[in-house]
Amino acid sequence: MKLRYRLKTIPLYARILIGMVLGIILGLAALALHGEQFITDWIKPWGELFIRLLQLIAVPLIFVTLVKGVAGLKEISRFSKLGGKTMLLYLAFIAASVVFGLILGSVISPGELVNQEVASTLQAKYESTIANQAATAIQVHSRGPLHFLQEIVPSNIVQAAASNSTILQVIFFAILFGVAALLVPEQQVRPVLALFEGLDGIIMKMVGFIIDAAPIGVTALMAALVTDFRGDVSVFSALGVYALTVIVGLLIIMYVFYPIIIRFFSRTKVKAFVRAMYPVQLFAFTTSSSAVTLPVTMKTLKEKLGISDETASFVLPVGVTVNMDGTSCYQAIAILFIAQVLGIELSLTQMLTILLMTILSSIGTPGIPGGSYVILAMVLTSVGIPPEGLALIIGIDRPLDMLRTAVNVTGDATVACMVDGK
Ligand code: ASP
């Protein structure tokens, strides 16, 4: 009990970083003592269990948050002009970030740095999934140009919800459901919305439990990564280049893209914006949660940048749920990296699916530490990449999570400055 209490007082990020280091030490020790089998039998399954939990929560999370998000847009109709503009800007920002991530990930191709031999071992391991995926790609090729619409519209929602690979269909149903709820008289729909409100609380609690288990998952996955690849340097240098690619992408969005937008499309001065946002970014960086940062973002924008109360209290909370530019850019690079390591060539259709899924699921990503793992597992499955590939990147994810959260909150603030007073 006491130990548990003490562990709880260590912040999550520190526990995850300790998990990372512990995993590496464990893996190296196993290599030195020839205990690889021990890691495979007794340690790795905990990491796999962690990934299963992430997959488990994906469908309920995305369904409930989307219905709640769309049905909650009633607020938007009150602010109709501001609301429409804000939503459009958010969607455009997310799309731009994903496209930027896809370009960066394809140009730098960090996954191709992995030694050919290691890559073929991995590919052999996931052979059946990859082969299925290739077969689907061929089928897709021989279908008509509008066939993708059938992939989005389910003929049976229970069947769609039964597989993580058809999550796009669940998203479609959730949006339709939410829109219909918006149009039914308030009195009639109130109990259903209250139910979703309650479900959202419960699911977020469950996500909290799973994220709390992240340090154990990270230790296990890191140890397995070291033994599975026998400390192969190419894997770790590829991971390093992958992390650098994400960092460069995020820094460009934060220090080049946003300032340009602020300069040309808002009345705020770039210098004042950068200066005011610095403490907010630092707060987001240390907490890794855009939701927790929200009050700080609001206060700063109102007090330091003179953004009106009305704009701040509408644009920012919506942004925390909908707009995650850092997360979107990161997801694109992470998906490409895993595909490259596993030797999966992504077709244009798959790239477009990634774009669409990332935009839509950005709305479903909770603004909490590691919120995007759940979504990433889901997007991977839906484009036919084995979600086990997540094991490659989760170990080193925490620092990237910190930086992408800082980008997420800066994106919300940028849009608030753009729409304020217009
Ligand atoms: N931690 C991020 C946020 O709160 C979400 C994520 O990308 O994991 O904005």
Side-chain angles (χ1 to χ4, degrees):
M1 189 70 198
K2 248 194 172 150
L3 178 71
R4 213 178 135 215
Y5 175 74
R6 276 207 200 121
L7 278 178
K8 278 262 168 204
T9 54
I10 305 175
L12 181 67
Y13 78 88
R15 276 182 282 149
I16 294 183
L17 293 179
I18 295 173
M20 224 169 116
V21 177
L22 219 62
I24 296 177
I25 297 176
L26 211 63
L28 290 177
L31 279 182
L33 302 170
H34 301 292
E36 293 91 333
Q37 200 55 40
F38 174 80
I39 300 284
T40 312
D41 291 343
W42 292 97
I43 305 290
K44 195 174 174 187
W46 297 104
E48 290 168 342
L49 222 53
F50 176 61
I51 292 183
R52 282 180 80 90
L53 285 172
L54 293 173
Q55 292 177 278
L56 167 72
I57 203 73
V59 171
L61 172 75
I62 201 97
F63 184 70
V64 172
T65 39
L66 270 181
V67 170
K68 202 181 143 250
V70 177
L73 292 184
K74 231 186 186 107
E75 286 286 298
I76 283 202
S77 53
R78 275 208 283 136
F79 293 89
S80 73
K81 227 176 120 205
L82 184 64
K85 204 167 170 191
T86 307
M87 281 309 278
L88 268 183
L89 282 173
Y90 278 153
L91 292 181
F93 271 38
I94 302 169
S97 312
V98 183
V99 171
F100 180 54
L102 285 176
I103 295 174
L104 216 58
S106 313
V107 172
I108 303 182
S109 288
E112 273 157 26
L113 295 175
V114 172
N115 179 332
Q116 207 44 49
E117 203 180 307
V118 177
S120 359
T121 323
L122 266 179
Q123 286 154 20
K125 201 159 141 199
Y126 297 116
E127 195 171 25
S128 62
T129 327
I130 295 172
N132 273 344
Q133 191 263 341
T136 324
I138 292 170
Q139 276 175 24
V140 166
H141 204 68
S142 57
R143 287 180 195 143
L146 287 183
H147 185 85
F148 76 96
L149 289 174
Q150 293 190 14
E151 310 257 326
I152 300 176
V153 184
S155 59
N156 183 317
I157 184 59
V158 179
Q159 213 168 27
S163 158
N164 278 4
S165 62
T166 43
I167 195 86
L168 205 50
Q169 304 187 339
V170 178
I171 294 180
F172 175 81
F173 183 78
I175 293 178
L176 204 60
F177 189 97
V179 171
L182 269 178
L183 303 174
V184 171
E186 205 175 331
Q187 212 181 354
Q188 206 177 340
V189 86
R190 199 173 301 141
V192 179
L193 293 188
L195 173 72
F196 271 89
E197 203 46 66
L199 282 176
D200 186 55
I202 296 173
I203 300 227
M204 287 312 283
K205 195 71 185 170
M206 289 169 76
V207 172
F209 292 153
I210 298 173
I211 301 292
D212 263 347
I216 301 175
V218 166
T219 310
L221 291 172
M222 214 54 197
L225 201 64
V226 175
T227 49
D228 281 356
F229 297 116
R230 316 198 152 275
D232 183 278
V233 180
S234 79
V235 173
F236 294 93
S237 52
L239 268 174
V241 177
Y242 150 77
L244 270 180
T245 312
V246 175
I247 293 171
V248 167
L250 294 179
L251 289 179
I252 291 180
I253 295 182
M254 190 146 79
Y255 290 114
V256 180
F257 179 67
Y258 293 147
I260 291 180
I261 299 277
I262 289 287
R263 165 77 180 75
F264 292 104
F265 300 99
S266 82
R267 279 184 286 179
T268 312
K269 295 254 174 308
V270 176
K271 218 167 160 190
F273 181 80
V274 173
R275 204 176 286 164
M277 282 310 288
Y278 181 64
V280 182
Q281 289 162 345
L282 213 58
F283 195 88
F285 187 80
T286 40
T287 58
S288 244
S289 163
S290 38
V292 169
T293 314
L294 180 63
V296 188
T297 323
M298 277 186 151
K299 193 166 158 16
T300 308
L301 256 65
K302 283 195 280 191
E303 290 176 5
K304 299 225 173 102
L305 295 175
I307 299 297
S308 74
D309 206 15
E310 197 194 9
T311 309
S313 56
F314 169 71
V315 177
L316 295 176
V318 174
V320 166
T321 344
V322 174
N323 184 41
M324 297 210 172
D325 304 335
T327 299
S328 307
C329 172
Y330 146 82
Q331 291 206 342
I333 299 174
I335 294 167
L336 285 187
F337 176 73
I338 297 174
Q340 286 157 3
V341 176
L342 296 181
I344 300 175
E345 293 266 352
L346 293 172
S347 63
L348 192 63
T349 327
Q350 282 168 311
M351 291 271 200
L352 287 177
T353 312
I354 296 174
L355 179 65
L356 191 67
M357 289 282 298
T358 318
I359 294 175
L360 291 173
S361 56
S362 169
I363 307 175
T365 309
I368 57 169
S372 50
Y373 300 161
V374 183
I375 306 298
L376 201 53
M378 196 185 79
V379 182
L380 283 174
T381 319
S382 71
V383 283
I385 303 174
E388 290 81 1
L390 266 186
L392 283 170
I393 55 166
I394 283 193
I396 56 152
D397 193 61
R398 183 65 193 200
L400 306 180
D401 187 8
M402 297 165 91
L403 195 58
R404 64 184 184 251
T405 310
V407 175
N408 290 344
V409 299
T410 315
D412 299 344
T414 307
V415 171
C417 291
M418 287 172 82
V419 298
D420 191 50
K422 295 230 169 126

